[in-house]
Amino acid sequence: MYKWSTISISFSNLLPCHQQHSPPQQSGLVPAYSAESDSEDEGADKDEKEGRLTDWIQVFPLNKEIIIEGLSLLCQTGKKLEHAFIKLDLKDRALTDIIAISSYIHIRFLDLSNNYISDLSPLASMTHLLWLKVDRNSMKSFKEQPLSEFTFLQWLSVASNQIVDMEGLVGPSIETLILSGNSIQKINGLRNADFANLVILELRGNQLETTSGFDLPNLRKLYLAQNFIKRLEGLEKLERLITLHLRDNQLETLEGLCPEMKSLQYLNIRGNAIAEGDALRSLHFLTSSLKTLVIAENPVVDAVPYRQTVLILLPQLERIDKEPVTLTERTEARRTIRDDRAESATHTSL
């Protein structure tokens, strides 16, 4: 347990607990290639590769002075009177190599965003990390990264990198996982055994075409906006999901919603390709839980009286798009439901 404490410290207290000497890193220019170059033939000659250069990056060495500048949040370590800083901010430093921080073993909160980092292995010694942000770097894979060492990590963001799959990603204590703005095409490896505590998952702006692959019964919020999703599949394992965000995809139907989604309260399908009222029929599986439906910017909005159509399927809704459901709308929907049931009973008796 770490106790907050205010003490006066000398400059030497800014050094890591186990001082290590890392190889010097030279500042200078390194080439940055376009994203397309990653998929080119590895056998391309030098002239071809140089032709794909889009920019030159000025990189700087990570040294003790830069680290000291980013340290904050002094805390007692639990070893008698020993104290250490547990927060380190290294964003916007044009870093490619972070080996110099490997000896700062007490860090709990680490921000590495807006750099050029592709290798997190120097973090392996930071086994007590709780919060890690690696947005807008050069990460391409989770393979051979030290994520399995972070058994206490609760919040992880690797947004806007070059990740294409989730192989190697583990996080038994992670509660919030943000992978937006990558190039992930398929959900694989998201098993409850590896992410038992995961409650918020953000995958906006990737290249997913289906929702298949989520085995996360404890998940509460799932954000999948701005993908290429055409099919709703595998949702039956999301039993505790409260929020499902599917804005700006390519859905033509809501087939795939299922009765197992008994906790869902908020569904956003704005900006899809749903054109007919019949494509909404699967909404009736959410009758007992759904409170808010966002459906604007679908063709069906202009094709049918959609608010009434939705309320007949979900009479308990409290809000459709930005507008609350009025008493008049609810009364009319219930009258229509009664009339339909009466007509159905008449046909049955005949």
Side-chain angles (χ1 to χ4, degrees), residues 88-186:
L88 178 57
D89 186 345
L90 292 175
K91 64 177 180 288
D92 299 311
R93 293 288 188 172
L95 302 173
T96 58
D97 186 349
I98 55 174
I99 192 170
I101 65 174
S102 61
S103 55
Y104 289 76
I105 62 173
H106 294 297
I107 297 299
R108 302 292 182 270
F109 306 93
L110 177 59
D111 190 347
L112 296 170
S113 53
N114 295 340
N115 286 290
Y116 304 99
I117 299 164
S118 60
D119 180 17
L120 299 180
S121 60
L123 307 184
S125 59
M126 297 183 179
T127 56
H128 296 285
L129 269 176
L130 300 174
W131 191 96
L132 176 60
K133 187 175 183 180
V134 200
D135 294 357
R136 293 173 294 279
N137 274 279
S138 301
M139 296 278 297
K140 295 183 178 180
S141 173
F142 292 112
K143 298 176 183 176
E144 300 181 1
Q145 303 291 354
L147 295 176
S148 61
E149 304 294 328
F150 307 147
T151 55
F152 300 105
L153 189 66
Q154 298 175 16
W155 193 95
L156 173 62
S157 182
V158 195
S160 301
N161 278 264
Q162 303 167 39
I163 304 294
V164 296
D165 64 54
M166 299 183 182
E167 187 175 349
L169 177 60
V170 293
S173 298
I174 292 178
E175 298 177 2
T176 298
L177 176 59
I178 303 172
L179 299 173
S180 300
N182 282 284
S183 301
I184 298 170
Q185 300 177 10
K186 182 180 179 181

Side-chain angles (χ1 to χ4, degrees), residues 308 311 325-335:
Q308 193 67 14
L311 277 173
V325 174
T326 66
L327 179 60
T328 301
E329 288 177 320
R330 196 180 305 281
T331 300
E332 181 62 28
R334 287 172 176 170
R335 182 183 299 115

Side-chain angles (χ1 to χ4, degrees), residues 28-35 37-38 46 49-59 96 116 138 140 162:
L29 294 171
V30 298
Y33 290 87
S34 63
S37 68
D38 294 331
K46 179 179 179 181
K49 290 182 179 180
E50 289 179 351
R52 293 195 298 270
L53 283 171
T54 60
D55 202 356
W56 289 86
I57 302 166
Q58 178 73 46
V59 296
T96 58
Y116 304 99
S138 301
K140 295 183 178 180
Q162 303 167 39

